[in-house]
Amino acid sequence: MHIGARASAPARGGRAALVLIVLLALAPLVAEAAGAGYLVSLTTRIAIWGLAAASLQLLIGGAGLPSLGHGAFVGIGAYAVGVAFHHAQGMDGALGFLAGAGADSLLVTLPAAAVAAALIALPIGAVSLRTGGAYFIMITLAFSQMLYFVTIAFADYGGEDGLSMWSRNTAAIGGLGLDTGDDLVFHWICVALLGLWLGIAHRISGSRYGLVLAAARDDERRLRALGRSPYGLRLAAFVTAAAVAGVAGALNANLIGFVSPTPLAWTTSGELMVMVVLGGAATPAGAVAGAAIMVVLEEMLGRWTEHWAAILGPMLVLAAIFNRGGVTGTFARAWSRIRRRGRS
């Protein structure tokens, strides 16, 4: 019975992910039909931050690694795009060698953002994963803050003021050119990438690698007794999650047309962790749901008062205390009760 319950969790997560992707894909059409086209940017933000949160879920829910430095990889992805755009416009800088063909194309900048984040995550993960528990949280926080101050000191690329992007990266697939300047088109690109990662994450969770990673999370000593070291498994998850977060950062830079050191600060990492816990750390779909709730609440409360954070904070604390398993966990328990009553 216990094994069956564990086996059904990925299936539930897969169905929830499919529902979320369909809703996000259709939401802008509904908004425009209702004369609320301005909401397209809101749903795009949900898709982007959902991607970032779902990447962190691989660490928290999949590997049991609550990183407080994950936002740094979002920032690195954003800078990969911003620096490439900076040089594509003929501007000078220390990384001028990055200018070249495709520096203004999503097909180049998105993989570049993923690779840049992964390369920086590799040594950080190699060091951080030598620790555990609170020490892991603190060392990832320290690395994040270190990268934050490095970007501030990089005067060639705006320092604390950041970089502006006055147009989005282009996207041409074969002979088909996608107009990324069209908010709807860009939204669907973001949703497609989110759907791609949710599909990959779903496959990972049900694979042998995902099961062994979960075993390391649940009982590391037993895994070591079986002759398997969790270090390499966790490092692979850490680097993979960072690469996906880098893609999210690249998309966000294109959305807002601006790159700054802010995402590398620990506060962004804290928000991502809240998204995962709020929605439910058990599945990537839960992280996306948590991102949607956070983005919508910030938007609504921000329109109401400039002190929205003072209201949002206690709401999140109450949600964490009384909403065990996150929003998706609550829905799963309610659905199970309904099914049991239907059978009886």
Side-chain angles (χ1 to χ4, degrees):
M1 182 68 179
H2 177 68
I3 294 175
R6 289 285 294 258
S8 64
R12 288 197 301 268
R15 290 192 293 269
L18 181 60
V19 170
L20 285 171
I21 290 300
V22 171
L23 289 176
L24 279 173
L26 296 179
L29 299 178
V30 175
E32 290 205 335
Y38 61 90
L39 291 177
V40 174
S41 63
L42 179 67
T43 56
T44 305
R45 283 172 54 203
I46 291 173
I48 292 172
W49 287 104
L51 179 61
S55 68
L56 179 58
Q57 186 277 335
L58 178 64
L59 295 182
I60 295 179
L65 299 171
S67 170
L68 201 53
H70 201 64
F73 305 120
V74 176
I76 290 165
Y79 266 97
V81 170
V83 170
F85 184 89
H86 181 81
H87 290 297
Q89 304 303 313
M91 299 180 184
D92 295 329
L95 302 177
F97 62 90
L98 294 176
D104 195 28
S105 170
L106 278 179
L107 297 180
V108 174
T109 57
L110 291 184
V115 170
L119 288 176
I120 293 178
L122 185 59
I124 291 176
V127 173
S128 302
L129 290 170
R130 297 293 180 183
T131 64
Y135 297 103
F136 176 80
I137 296 174
M138 294 307 297
I139 198 168
T140 53
L141 169 63
F143 275 118
S144 176
Q145 289 299 101
M146 186 188 308
L147 291 170
Y148 172 72
F149 287 112
V150 166
T151 55
I152 286 180
F154 223 151
D156 282 1
Y157 300 105
E160 194 169 2
D161 296 329
L163 291 169
S164 293
M165 294 175 57
W166 48 88
S167 66
R168 289 174 183 160
N169 291 161
T170 59
I173 303 174
L176 177 63
L178 301 178
D179 181 12
T180 55
D182 186 317
D183 289 341
L184 269 177
V185 172
F186 186 71
H187 169 82
W188 284 323
I189 291 173
C190 295
V191 171
L193 290 170
L194 173 61
L196 176 62
W197 170 244
L198 291 181
I200 294 172
H202 177 63
R203 292 296 298 271
I204 290 175
S205 65
S207 68
R208 177 177 296 182
Y209 168 75
L211 294 175
V212 176
L213 191 65
R217 175 198 65 205
D218 295 338
D219 197 331
E220 181 180 341
R221 286 183 299 178
R222 179 174 295 180
L223 186 66
R224 289 185 182 277
L226 293 173
R228 293 294 301 270
S229 171
Y231 181 80
L233 302 172
R234 289 170 171 168
L235 182 58
F238 191 89
V239 173
T240 300
V244 177
V247 173
L251 292 173
N252 192 56
N254 274 277
L255 175 66
I256 65 177
F258 183 68
V259 177
S260 77
T262 302
L264 292 101
W266 71 269
T267 50
T268 301
S269 300
E271 288 177 3
L272 288 173
M273 190 176 291
V274 169
M275 290 175 187
V276 175
V277 174
L278 180 62
T283 63
V288 177
I293 294 170
M294 279 282 288
V295 170
V296 171
L297 282 177
E298 287 181 3
E299 182 73 16
M300 292 175 58
L301 294 175
R303 289 175 179 269
W304 183 43
T305 174
E306 62 179 318
H307 305 294
W308 58 270
I311 301 173
L312 181 61
M315 291 174 64
L316 295 176
V317 171
L318 292 174
I321 294 174
F322 297 106
N323 197 25
R324 182 173 57 87
V327 172
T328 53
T330 300
F331 276 111
R333 291 192 297 272
W335 178 245
S336 297
R337 286 195 294 268
I338 292 172
R339 291 186 65 183
R340 285 198 298 269
R341 290 174 183 173
R343 291 171 182 171
S344 62

